[in-house]
Amino acid sequence: VKAGQALARLDPADAALQAAQAEAQRALAAADLKRFEDLRSKNFVSQSALDARITAAKAADAQAALARNQTGYATLFADHPGVIAAVLAEPGQVVAAGQGVFRLARDGDREVAISVPESDVARLKVGSPAEVNLWAAPGKPYRGEIREISPIADPATRTYPIRVRLVQTDSTPALGMTASVRFSGAAAPALTIPLTALYQQDGGGAAVWIVGAEQTVSLRPVRVARYADAGVEIVEGLAPGERIVAAGVHKLSAGEKVRIAEPGR
C-alpha cells in the first residue's frame, strides 16, 4: 500500500446523522444567541441571561466541530507506505474505537527485533555496530546498528527489547525472516561452574578458589551472569582450562595446599 491510501471505511450513516444533529443544535444555539443580543440591546433581558446563551452557543460550536471530526475518522488511511502483514477485522464487523484493523509493516529499511538480558544491556547503546546473519542465507552477514533500546524490561522475560537496523544491504530480506545478531566486542561466552564452587566473600561479592601450579588455592572474585539449573554462569574472572575447587569452599583459606582427587575415586 502507499501512504495516504484508503484501507477501510466505516458505515458513514451513523456518523453523518450525528454530524447533522450537532449542526442543527449549533444553528439553533446561534439563532437563540442572536435573539438575546437584540433583546439585551433593548435592555429586555439581563446580562447573565445573555452570557448563558453565549456559553451555550460556544458549546454547540465545539460539539459540531467534534462531530465533523468523527466523520473524518470513518475512513482508515495508511500513514506510511508498506505491506499489510495481517488483517484483524472482517467486513461488516462492529469495531470499537482504538481497535486494530490492520497490521502494516513499514516498507524501507529492515530491522531485527531481539531481546537482550539485563546483564548485557548496559554495555550497548544506540548506534553500536552489529553483525546480522539470516538463517535463510547462512554465511552472508549483514552490517547493522542499534536503532532503539527499550528503557523498560519485558515483564514476562525480564529482557530488554532492542531494534537493530540493517544498513547497506545488497538485497532486501523478506519480512518475517529469522536472524541472529552479534555485537562487535561481545564478551566471551559464559562459563558454567557448579553452585557448590561459588564462595561468598564477607563483602558480599562472589569468588571461587583457584588451584595454582603448586596445588595451593587462592581466592579470585568473579562476576555472575545468572543462576541456572545446570550451575552458575560466570562471565568475568575465570578462563577456560583453569582448575577450581568444586566442594568444601568454606573450609579453605588462602595459600592452603590441596590434593587433587584422581579421576574415578
Side-chain angles (χ1 to χ4, degrees):
V1 296
K2 300 178 180 179
Q5 180 178 344
L7 304 179
R9 290 184 176 88
L10 294 175
D11 186 354
D14 291 344
L17 290 175
Q18 291 177 356
Q21 181 184 21
E23 181 61 28
Q25 293 293 337
R26 186 203 63 78
L28 178 60
D32 198 19
L33 174 60
K34 183 65 173 62
R35 286 193 296 270
F36 267 73
E37 287 176 342
D38 294 340
L39 293 174
R40 178 57 185 164
S41 65
K42 299 175 183 179
N43 207 24
F44 288 162
V45 295
S46 64
Q47 183 62 39
S48 61
L50 177 60
D51 292 342
R53 294 304 185 278
I54 293 175
T55 302
K58 290 181 178 179
D61 285 341
Q63 190 64 33
L66 179 62
R68 287 193 296 271
N69 287 343
Q70 293 294 332
T71 59
Y73 298 151
T75 302
L76 185 64
F77 298 95
D79 57 351
H80 55 260
V83 178
I84 299 297
V87 179
L88 308 177
E90 298 293 336
Q93 179 179 341
V94 178
V95 295
Q99 179 177 339
V101 179
F102 296 101
R103 184 173 294 119
L104 177 60
R106 185 183 295 271
D107 192 14
D109 292 340
R110 294 292 189 259
E111 292 183 347
V112 181
I114 62 173
S115 297
V116 175
E118 56 187 17
S119 60
D120 295 329
V121 71
R123 65 183 180 86
L124 301 176
K125 62 180 180 179
V126 174
S128 296
E131 180 183 291
V132 179
N133 289 274
L134 300 177
W135 286 12
K140 184 183 178 183
Y142 291 87
R143 188 164 62 88
E145 64 179 19
I146 297 178
R147 184 186 67 82
E148 177 184 333
I149 300 177
S150 174
I152 302 176
D154 184 275
T157 62
R158 306 308 305 170
T159 57
Y160 288 81
I162 289 182
R163 294 274 181 173
V164 178
R165 182 174 66 90
L166 300 183
V167 294
Q168 294 183 353
T169 57
D170 297 334
S171 59
T172 303
L175 296 173
M177 283 188 169
T178 305
S180 61
V181 179
R182 181 180 182 275
F183 296 104
S184 300
L191 300 176
T192 302
I193 64 173
L195 182 60
T196 55
L198 198 64
Y199 179 82
Q200 294 294 334
Q201 303 181 84
D202 293 338
V208 296
W209 290 103
I210 303 294
V211 180
E214 298 181 357
Q215 297 186 359
T216 58
V217 295
S218 60
L219 196 60
R220 182 187 298 175
V222 294
R223 185 163 69 91
V224 177
R226 70 185 186 98
Y227 295 88
D229 294 338
V232 183
E233 292 187 2
I234 305 297
V235 293
E236 186 178 322
L238 281 180
E242 287 188 306
R243 181 171 290 179
I244 64 174
V245 178
V249 294
H250 295 283
K251 299 180 179 180
L252 298 175
S253 57
E256 187 174 355
K257 193 170 184 178
V258 297
R259 180 169 56 87
I260 306 299
E262 297 296 334
R265 294 184 60 181

